[in-house]
Amino acid sequence: MPRHHPETHRTHRIGWLRAAVLGANDGIVSTASLIAGFAASNAAFNEIILAGVAGLVAGAMSMAAGEYVSVSSQADTEQADLARELRELHENEPYEKNELAAIYIQRGLEPGLAEQVAEQLMQHNALEAHARDELGISSAVAARPIQAALTSAATFAVGALMPLLVVLIAPAAYLLASVITSSLLCLALLGMLAAYTGGASRLKGACRVTFWGALAMGLTAAVGSVFGTAV
């Protein structure tokens, strides 16, 4: 019998892909919006740079903390469910086997075959079988707090660097337009890359992130212009 080689599916990437896309997108949008707001208010060059750097550092730390807390909560819930399932397996294994068989019957197996599958899977690894088929927990989508936190912080910083670099090289007269244009282009490329990696429509992915990025930068620039004029 030929050996089975496990296939790699896109769901295996969902943990780090979600954190990476969210971090890079937020880094570009928040920093570019912050810079756009200061630039529209006619702030000095040093003030714009300071605002961008502060936004990069604060945003990266906020993303790391937020992702760690959020994903840790998910991990805690998963562990609590697994502990409860393990306890139930020790207390009433026949009931748990019938419960697993019922799941397979609902998915289309004949009752006799479902019972055989449930019995064999529980002999192999009862907790793993219940985690996967009853709770929906598997190694591919399990919560990884540290991975999510580090990925989000790093990608946020990379995304935030882009508008900062544009500020350093763009002519002062075209600074605002340069930041917004280059940021929207990077957002479109990011959306396409994320969609391609996840196997989705690249056009849809690009339009989705570009729209919200344009809205955020436009509103922030409008606020900066109003308050800058008022001052």
Side-chain angles (χ1 to χ4, degrees):
M1 178 182 296
R3 294 183 61 186
H4 171 69
H5 298 281
E7 297 177 348
T8 300
H9 296 280
R10 290 185 172 91
T11 53
H12 297 160
R13 307 168 182 163
I14 195 170
W16 65 264
L17 179 60
R18 171 188 168 277
V21 172
L22 179 62
N25 180 80
D26 201 21
I28 295 173
V29 172
S30 61
T31 307
S33 298
L34 189 61
I35 290 173
F38 270 76
S41 69
N42 297 316
F45 178 79
N46 289 341
E47 293 175 338
I48 295 175
I49 290 294
L50 179 60
V53 173
L56 186 156
V57 175
M61 295 306 299
S62 176
M63 287 293 294
E67 281 292 308
Y68 184 81
V69 171
S70 174
V71 180
S72 291
S73 297
Q74 178 186 341
D76 291 343
T77 301
E78 291 177 354
Q79 291 302 316
D81 280 343
L82 290 174
R84 176 182 176 182
E85 196 64 34
L86 184 60
R87 183 173 63 253
E88 291 175 348
L89 283 168
H90 286 306
E91 293 175 353
N92 197 343
E93 184 174 340
Y95 175 83
E96 292 300 312
K97 184 174 69 174
N98 291 335
E99 186 178 42
L100 197 61
I103 293 173
Y104 299 143
I105 292 173
Q106 290 178 352
R107 294 179 181 177
L109 293 185
E110 294 291 335
L113 180 58
E115 292 177 3
Q116 292 179 23
V117 172
E119 183 175 356
Q120 291 185 21
L121 286 178
M122 287 189 64
Q123 289 177 356
H124 174 69
N125 191 324
L127 183 59
E128 182 183 84
H130 280 270
R132 180 184 61 248
D133 296 321
E134 181 182 351
L135 304 177
I137 301 174
S138 68
S139 59
V141 296
R144 296 179 175 85
I146 294 178
Q147 181 192 63
L150 294 178
T151 301
S152 293
T155 53
F156 182 98
V158 171
L161 277 175
M162 188 282 301
L164 275 173
L165 292 176
V166 173
V167 171
L168 293 175
I169 63 177
Y174 303 104
L175 190 149
L176 180 58
S178 298
V179 169
I180 292 177
T181 302
S182 59
S183 297
L184 291 177
L185 178 60
C186 287
L187 285 173
L189 293 174
L190 175 64
M192 293 176 66
L193 177 61
Y196 172 77
T197 306
S201 168
R202 281 171 281 186
L203 178 61
K204 183 178 179 181
C207 291
R208 184 164 46 202
V209 297
T210 303
F211 170 78
W212 289 107
L215 182 62
M217 285 181 272
L219 289 175
T220 312
V223 170
S225 178
V226 170
F227 282 90
T229 303
V231 174

